[in-house]
Structures are given as C-alpha cells and as structure tokens.
C-alpha cells in the first residue's frame, strides 16, 4: 500500500485524464480517493480549480462538475485540473467542518501527513496538486446563514506585484463584487499557503442557504470569464445579471467593518447586499427572545459604506456577526 498521497492520473498526459487524488488512511479512518479531472492542451497557464472545501457550500462542487462537461470542447491551451470535492466527508454531512475530527479544512493548510483525516487531505492537496499550478480558483459559497453577492475575493498580500495580479484576476470574473478582505482568522487557509508560494489564488463566494439555477448560472458565467481572461478558452467576457443589474465594483473590508449583535436573539435584516448605507441607517433589528419585556435593539450603520454581507435571519448570540460592510478599494 502506498502510504504517501499520490495521483492515479498522469497530469502530463495530453488531452483528458480522469483519476483520483489518494489520501492515505490513518488511525481515524481509511484511505480516501478524491476524483480528479485533468485536461492538458500544451503550453499555457496551469490552473487548479477546487470545490467542496466547506461541506455546506455546494455551489462550488456543482459548478466544478459543469466545467468537466464543457472544458474538453472549450479549452484551447494550457492545463486545467479540477477537484470538485476537497472534503467529501464534510459534503456528505452538509457540514462546514469534518464530522470525524471537527476540523475546518480551510484552517489546517498545509496539513500534516500524520494528522487527522482533515489534516491529511490538506497535506495531500498541498504536496501533490498545489505545486503543479500557477493559479488556483477555490469555489466557495459563504454558507447557508448569510446573504452575500456573487463575489471574487482575496486577502491583502505583502508582495505588491502579487497583490496587483491577484486583484486583476479576481476582477476578471466580472462578478458583482470583487472584495479584498482583511480579517484576523486566516491561519491555515488554503489561499494564504498558495499566496506564500507566489501563486495567484482567488476564492469565489456566493452566499445563500439554497442552491438555485439562477445563482449557479451567474457563478458559472463568472468562472468562464476568468478562463477567458487567462486565455484558456475563447469568447467574450460579459457581466452576469444579478438582481437586474450588470455591474461590478471592487471594495475592501477590515475586521472593524463587521457589525456584531449586542445581545442574544433573532436578527431581522433591514437592508440588502450591495445597498449603500450612511451613518445611522437601520441595518437590522435584534429581537431578544428570553424575555417578552426586553425591547428590540436597532443595529445601525456606523458610517458611509456598502453592505457586502447580511445575516439572512438567524438566531445569534451576543457578539456574533450580523453584517459586514466595505468601501471602495484604495489603490
């Protein structure tokens, strides 16, 4: 038995190849085989596309499967590797974290060969697939309890050249929102590991608790736009229609831009994503439920900004995030 992560497919073989990324077994469970699609059409960009990093974000795996269907005809050069489901255990459980060890795959990169199953998945991807790609698209959808517009996101990068190239790549998706997202919880993220190796990494996000045909069409159109920008497929990039608008804006957000609940209760949103708000505007209402005599609490904007995420109505605890705002990116 091969006890190191490996591929059952030759990525250098011309044309279409299908196989698996084999993740070795450990004390907690046996070997995992993650389906991999490779299409090698010679010289050109080397792109890795992944989905299913978080198991309750299913748009990514679905769009990745669509890519497998149309790339053999559409791709004109370069090499694209598609791994539709990074964490099958979480996807099967419709869980953000892996049920077996409770870990968030997107917080354990680059992983550990002798670790738990989540760490072994991260190790296999980091050691086998990441080195053969110049660019990575990791397809997310923000999670089921939030409303979030179709977006291509990145984090601040110390290298100004890589930062500029990454933002341009994110903008090439032509999704309604390109977001440079500065926040504190980045240790062990897939994108941080890739960017530390000088690779362009774009994370797409598409919030919402259900998978809908319209949303998937926008998501797929954005990915196709990025492929066109890379020169991997031919065609004319177009802005997809989102809520009757064809537009895109590039924003940045920081840890202090997250609005948090002042108490425990049910959050009622009073604004929508991409709304512009000014200081004092009502963004939502927190309704305490532990006492009928307790008054509801207004949550208001603390300055002029644009709403990029809003809780889609949920029970929240005190100090839990209920909204996120942003402002135009400073060049």
């Amino acid at each position: 038995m091969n006890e190191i992560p490996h591929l059952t497919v030759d990525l250098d073989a011309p044309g279409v190849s299908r196989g698996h990324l084999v993740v070795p077994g450990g004390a907690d469970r046996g070997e995992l085989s993650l389906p991999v699609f490779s299409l090698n059409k010679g010289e050109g960009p080397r792109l890795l596309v992944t989905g299913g990093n978080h198991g309750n974000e299913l748009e990514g795996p679905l769009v990745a499967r669509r890519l497998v269907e149309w790339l053999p005809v559409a791709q004109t050069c370069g090499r694209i590797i598609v791994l539709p489901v990074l964490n099958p255990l979480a996807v099967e459980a419709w869980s953000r974290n892996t049920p077996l060890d409770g870990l968030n795959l997107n917080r354990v990169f680059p992983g550990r060969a002798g670790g738990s199953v989540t760490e072994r998945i991260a190790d296999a991807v980091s050691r086998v697939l990441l080195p053969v790609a110049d660019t990575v698209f990791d397809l997310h959808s923000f999670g089921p309890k939030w409303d979030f517009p179709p977006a291509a996101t990145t984090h601040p990068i110390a290298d100004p050249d890589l930062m500029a190239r990454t933002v341009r790549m994110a903008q090439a998706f032509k999704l309604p929102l390109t977001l440079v997202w500065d926040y504190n919880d980045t240790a062990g993220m897939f994108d941080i590991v890739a960017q530390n190796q000088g690779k362009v990494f774009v994370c797409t996000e598409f919030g919402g608790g259900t998978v809908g045909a319209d949303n998937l069409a926008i998501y797929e159109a954005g990915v196709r736009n990025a492929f066109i920008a890379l020169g991997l497929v031919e065609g004319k990039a177009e802005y997809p229609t989102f809520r009757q608008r064809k537009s895109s804006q590039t924003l940045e957000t920081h840890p202090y831009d997250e609005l948090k609940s002042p108490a425990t209760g049910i959050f009622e949103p009073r604004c929508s994503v991409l709304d512009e708000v000014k200081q004092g505007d009502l963004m939502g209402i927190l309704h305490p439920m532990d006492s009928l005599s307790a008054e509801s609490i207004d949550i208001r904007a603390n300055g002029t900004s644009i709403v990029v995420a809003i809780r889609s109505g949920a029970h929240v605890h005190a100090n839990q995030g209920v909204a996120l705002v942003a402002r135009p990116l400073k060049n």
Side-chain angles (χ1 to χ4, degrees):
M1 178 179 175
N2 195 330
E3 295 183 354
I4 62 172
H6 61 279
L7 288 166
T8 65
V9 58
D10 180 5
L11 299 179
D12 293 325
V16 173
S17 301
R18 290 177 171 85
H20 293 85
L21 172 64
V22 178
V23 180
D28 50 0
R29 70 147 291 143
E31 182 179 278
L32 281 175
S33 292
L34 312 184
V36 171
F37 168 90
S38 171
L39 180 50
N40 183 3
K41 290 200 173 180
E43 295 296 321
R46 302 185 302 168
L47 173 67
L48 171 64
V49 181
T50 58
N53 193 325
H54 291 139
N56 60 352
E57 302 175 12
L58 301 183
E59 287 89 344
L62 292 175
V63 171
R65 283 300 301 261
R66 291 186 179 187
L67 301 182
V68 171
E69 295 171 1
W70 61 259
L71 276 175
V73 174
Q75 186 177 334
T76 58
C77 68
R79 182 173 66 195
I80 301 176
I81 302 166
V82 182
L83 200 165
V85 176
L86 280 171
N87 192 345
L89 303 179
V91 168
E92 290 166 7
W94 199 68
S95 169
R96 180 175 175 85
N97 295 354
T98 310
L100 200 58
D101 58 16
L103 294 180
N104 178 343
L105 175 59
N106 207 31
R107 297 298 185 275
V108 300
F109 279 90
R112 289 193 305 127
S116 69
V117 63
T118 309
E119 294 170 310
R120 296 197 304 275
I121 293 172
D123 174 70
V125 173
S126 299
R127 292 170 60 186
V128 178
L129 292 181
L130 191 55
V132 300
D134 302 316
T135 304
V136 182
F137 297 160
D138 193 25
L139 310 182
H140 288 249
S141 52
F142 207 75
K145 294 183 179 180
W146 289 86
D147 188 16
F148 193 87
T153 74
T154 185
H155 301 294
I157 304 169
D159 180 343
D161 176 67
L162 181 60
M163 182 80 245
R165 289 189 289 123
T166 301
V167 170
R168 286 197 299 271
M169 188 73 261
Q171 291 171 329
F173 283 75
K174 296 187 179 299
L175 292 172
L177 175 63
T178 300
L179 184 65
V180 178
W181 194 345
D182 181 13
Y183 67 101
N184 298 323
D185 184 22
T186 58
M189 293 184 71
F190 190 13
D191 36 350
I192 302 300
V193 171
Q195 289 163 350
N196 286 343
Q197 297 178 21
K199 301 177 187 295
V200 170
F201 189 114
V202 176
C203 173
T204 54
E205 298 277 8
F206 204 138
T210 60
V211 177
D214 291 343
N215 289 354
L216 286 173
I218 295 172
Y219 209 147
E220 185 177 8
V223 174
R224 186 185 292 267
N225 285 340
F227 283 5
I228 293 171
L230 279 172
L232 289 164
V233 304
E234 296 179 347
K236 180 181 179 181
E238 297 182 356
Y239 292 98
T241 301
F242 177 68
R243 298 183 181 175
Q244 300 181 332
R245 288 187 290 182
K246 284 180 176 284
S247 62
S248 181
Q249 54 188 320
T250 302
L251 307 176
E252 62 180 347
T253 188
H254 300 276
Y256 55 76
D257 288 319
E258 183 180 21
L259 280 72
K260 298 186 177 182
S261 176
T264 297
I266 296 176
F267 175 70
E268 175 192 351
R270 285 295 185 91
C271 60
S272 299
V273 293
L274 301 184
D275 282 353
E276 181 176 337
V277 293
K278 296 179 174 59
Q279 184 168 359
D281 284 353
L282 182 64
M283 297 189 64
I285 302 173
L286 192 282
H287 301 284
M289 291 293 161
D290 54 353
S291 170
L292 294 180
S293 61
E295 294 185 358
S296 296
I297 305 169
D298 291 347
I299 299 175
R300 297 185 178 274
N302 53 16
T304 300
S305 53
I306 296 170
V307 180
V308 295
I310 190 83
R311 282 270 179 181
S312 54
H315 184 275
V316 295
H317 297 287
N319 208 40
Q320 192 170 4
V322 293
L324 183 68
V325 298
R327 279 157 229 86
L329 177 66
K330 297 177 182 177
N331 296 324

